[in-house]
């Protein structure tokens, strides 16, 4: 177990980049072949509609001191 008083924690936001929009942009901007593949591989996925610059997630690390 980590003692929370003795941990260095770093958190960095992950903004949506233009390349991300190929799969995660608005459905009108995602190419039809990509939409078909996404529907096959991830039928319940709803991770679309993002725009460049939106925060999509974060990466965090913890390092005991």
């Amino acid at each position: 177990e980590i003692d929370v008083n003795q941990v260095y924690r770093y958190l960095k936001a992950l903004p949506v980049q233009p390349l991300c929009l190929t799969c995660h942009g608005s459905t009108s901007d995602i190419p039809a072949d990509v939409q078909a593949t996404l529907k096959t591989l991830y039928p319940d996925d709803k991770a679309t509609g993002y725009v460049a610059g939106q925060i999509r997630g974060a990466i965090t690390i913890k390092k005991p001191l």
Side-chain angles (χ1 to χ4, degrees):
E1 185 173 315
I2 297 174
D3 179 356
V4 294
N5 296 314
Q6 297 295 316
V7 173
Y8 171 80
R9 184 169 185 178
Y10 178 79
L11 178 77
K12 179 173 173 81
L14 292 175
V16 174
Q17 301 294 314
L19 181 60
C20 304
L21 299 176
T22 303
C23 297
H24 298 287
S26 70
T27 53
S28 62
D29 294 332
I30 300 172
D33 60 328
V34 173
Q35 286 189 44
T37 300
L38 290 172
K39 190 170 190 129
T40 299
L41 297 175
Y42 309 101
D44 298 320
D45 185 48
K46 294 176 179 51
T48 59
Y50 291 92
V51 296
Q54 267 187 306
I55 302 303
R56 173 102 166 62
I59 291 178
T60 184
I61 59 167
K62 293 181 199 176
K63 181 178 179 182
L65 297 176

